[in-house]
Amino acid sequence: MKVLVTGVDGYSGWPLALHLLHRGHEVVGIDNLVTRRRVAEVGSQSATPIRSMSQRAKSVQKVLGKTLRFYRGDLCQWEFVRDLVRKEKPEAIVHLGEQRSAPYSMIDVHHAVQTQVQNLTGTLHILYAIREESPKTHLVKMGTMGEYGTPNVDIPEGFFEIEYRGRKDKLPFPRQASSWYHWSKVFDTGDVMLANKIWGTAATDVMQGVIYGTRTPDIDRPDFLTRFDFDEVWGTALNRFCVQAVLGLPLTPYGKGQQKRGFIALEDSMQSLTLSVEHPAAPGEYRVFNQFDESYSITDLAQLVVKAAREDLGVEAEIHNSYNPRVEAEEHYYQPHHENLIRLGYHHLRELRQSLTEILTDLQKYRSRIESHRHVVMPRMNFRSPDNRDPLHIPAEKA
Ligand SMILES: NC(=O)c1ccc[n+]([C@@H]2O[C@H](COP(=O)([O-])OP(=O)(O)OC[C@H]3O[C@@H](n4cnc5c(N)ncnc54)[C@H](O)[C@@H]3O)[C@@H](O)[C@H]2O)c1
């Protein structure tokens, strides 16, 4: 199958491209390399030393004897997207090429606007390019579990049945995002649903849980490493906890630390996306997959990292709950469902405990890269309005 991966230079796009190549698919990748620039903008870098896209494509040729055709380009340029889809006519597009950091979207008005305008523009361009140039293409669109928020009822996969004032319907489950970034994903979902309704675009909308890990079987060599972000803007809580443990800093869950989220290993996310591609939505079908394995609270994660650091590195890490810069429920019900991928044959491959050993080992190996950036790990930014902040909050650079 010919698959176009947008965001192929990213944390998940790069291992996905390698995984699809391994499985015999033809892969075309596009990226404008903006995550590299945005991470540098906040004074950070990937903990893993990643190669440039041209070096990566060369290694693919040399090591795998396969060709990864890479186009450097911006999804916000309509002619670029249209011409690419016209030329390649992929059977599937896996759309990962978006701004993916909630804190980045909350920096100021410009970052909020950039996130929403660029994410929605890219998605609309892809939808129109499919309609005009390749209507049979199946779109696998990467959304996020964060679209649902934390409702006090179970979270279904996209739709739920409801009875209201004596009448019944099957409706999209309400979205309650908590950052400008997460709302951009909700708006994307609306656009993908509309394209399906009016043009019959076949689409899988993936509600992706937080991904963790530095390794998959496909990237287990230095020239195939994928990025690993650890600063407060780009790093997930788990990534930051691992870096804090390695650097001898306290682990800092925000607030009470009882916020729960769905998590999935990088290898399992690749498996899930591949299943979505290889078992496409039927023509005219719109389906939603909740893509995660386990739910953990932020405190669970911090405790697991403390244990792994003790057992794997002999390091005694401490947990210091910190001020919560986000506006979110710190204790809540959380019961999302995930059955659709299991029905397609999904089975859990990599345990969190194993991934923690790999992450901690890799961070030790590239310690100098995180050591020189230790100042970017602690929280400095804030989602709240200035008059709604905890007066005790001291930005890390002044602490
Ligand atoms: N990593 C996670 O834990 C996670 C969780 C839920 C959802 N997601 C979603 O998965 C997708 C991929 O995430 P990731 O972690 O690989 O992010 P990433 O930032 O590492 O990768 C995204 C890639 O897309 C590229 N890109 C961004 N905007 C572009 C544009 N306009 N034109 C061309 N290329 C562009 C970036 O340069 C980057 O290489 C994103 O849509 C993200 O929102 C990720």
Side-chain angles (χ1 to χ4, degrees):
M1 197 183 279
K2 187 194 270 194
V3 187
L4 171 63
V5 178
T6 77
V8 73
D9 188 49
Y11 172 60
S12 43
W14 170 241
L16 178 67
L18 291 176
H19 191 57
L20 292 171
L21 284 169
H22 266 127
R23 290 184 63 83
H25 298 293
E26 184 181 347
V27 180
V28 180
I30 86 105
D31 206 296
N32 64 354
L33 313 182
V34 70
T35 292
R36 292 180 188 241
R37 293 192 294 279
R38 284 175 174 152
V39 173
E41 177 194 332
V42 301
S44 191
Q45 63 175 3
S46 166
T48 44
I50 50 171
R51 305 285 198 263
S52 69
M53 236 1 260
S54 60
Q55 289 168 328
R56 285 173 158 182
K58 274 188 204 137
S59 298
V60 166
Q61 194 72 54
K62 198 167 136 202
V63 178
L64 305 181
K66 301 196 182 212
T67 304
L68 168 65
R69 280 208 307 293
F70 173 66
Y71 295 82
R72 181 169 176 176
D74 188 343
L75 293 169
C76 295
Q77 301 291 325
W78 163 240
E79 289 76 14
F80 166 72
V81 180
R82 181 200 55 202
D83 294 352
L84 179 69
V85 175
R86 178 183 291 166
K87 184 172 168 209
E88 298 290 349
K89 293 215 174 0
E91 285 150 285
I93 298 179
V94 184
H95 178 28
L96 308 171
E98 296 202 330
Q99 194 295 92
R100 56 105 165 152
S101 160
Y104 188 83
S105 76
M106 305 302 286
I107 290 176
D108 60 16
V109 59
H110 308 293
H111 291 79
V113 171
Q114 197 188 107
T115 300
Q116 294 210 346
V117 169
Q118 293 187 4
N119 286 358
L120 267 84
T121 304
T123 298
L124 276 170
H125 282 168
I126 289 170
L127 290 169
Y128 264 88
I130 290 175
R131 172 190 180 242
E132 293 185 9
E133 306 295 340
S134 187
K136 290 192 178 145
T137 296
H138 168 218
L139 175 64
V140 179
K141 164 71 181 59
M142 193 63 127
T144 161
M145 286 295 294
E147 292 183 35
Y148 297 122
T150 53
N152 200 28
V153 293
D154 288 14
I155 299 172
E157 297 196 74
F159 292 87
F160 74 140
E161 282 170 13
I162 181 164
E163 184 171 345
Y164 180 63
R165 295 190 173 175
R167 297 185 66 81
K168 288 183 183 168
D169 206 346
K170 191 174 178 196
L171 295 175
F173 190 75
R175 292 344 198 226
Q176 306 185 83
S178 56
S179 73
W180 304 124
Y181 153 73
H182 286 100
W183 274 108
S184 78
K185 298 300 224 185
V186 179
F187 302 146
D188 271 347
T189 286
D191 288 350
V192 176
M193 277 174 56
L194 181 65
N196 166 266
K197 185 173 165 184
I198 58 180
W199 304 326
T201 311
T204 304
D205 205 351
V206 178
M207 299 300 129
Q208 171 73 61
V210 183
I211 316 176
Y212 57 81
T214 46
R215 298 191 205 165
T216 72
D218 305 306
I219 58 171
D220 217 358
R221 27 178 309 138
D223 48 352
F224 282 173
L225 286 173
T226 195
R227 61 177 313 112
F228 182 92
D229 294 302
F230 60 94
D231 60 90
E232 56 132 3
V233 174
W234 292 94
T236 63
L238 183 69
N239 289 11
R240 284 183 283 113
F241 293 162
C242 289
V243 167
Q244 287 170 328
V246 170
L247 293 181
L249 296 168
L251 279 55
T252 51
Y254 293 160
K256 292 181 183 157
Q258 294 307 316
Q259 306 87 314
K260 277 194 157 185
R261 301 289 183 267
F263 290 83
I264 188 168
L266 183 59
E267 182 178 0
D268 286 321
S269 174
M270 301 302 100
Q271 179 201 166
S272 306
L273 288 173
T274 304
L275 278 169
S276 302
V277 167
E278 293 177 354
H279 301 266
E285 184 187 7
Y286 170 80
R287 59 184 187 177
V288 179
F289 291 172
N290 290 350
Q291 186 164 299
F292 71 98
D293 254 316
E294 295 290 338
S295 302
Y296 297 97
S297 76
I298 302 305
T299 299
D300 292 339
L301 287 182
Q303 286 168 346
L304 285 166
V305 173
V306 167
K307 185 168 180 286
R310 183 186 308 122
E311 290 173 0
D312 297 344
L313 308 180
V315 167
E316 282 304 328
E318 285 175 15
I319 299 175
H320 289 188
N321 288 59
S322 83
Y323 170 80
N324 191 348
R326 297 178 179 231
V327 180
E328 61 186 1
E330 292 178 6
E331 281 174 309
H332 56 85
Y333 180 78
Y334 196 63
Q335 197 63 57
H337 297 179
H338 53 137
E339 281 122 32
N340 289 343
L341 278 160
I342 293 168
R343 272 197 283 275
L344 291 184
Y346 172 81
H347 56 283
H348 185 36
L349 290 173
R350 199 166 290 227
E351 297 295 335
L352 175 57
R353 182 66 186 84
Q354 179 193 350
S355 293
L356 286 177
T357 298
E358 293 164 357
I359 296 171
L360 293 170
T361 309
D362 289 340
L363 288 174
Q364 281 284 45
K365 190 165 168 192
Y366 303 116
R367 192 189 169 93
S368 63
R369 293 176 64 83
I370 52 175
E371 187 76 62
S372 57
H373 288 75
R374 59 191 295 142
H375 58 285
V376 297
V377 184
M378 304 304 247
R380 288 170 295 175
M381 56 98 44
N382 211 314
F383 285 31
R384 296 165 195 272
S385 60
D387 54 2
N388 186 24
R389 289 185 185 168
D390 180 343
L392 295 178
H393 172 57
I394 304 166
E397 71 269 23
K398 294 193 184 145

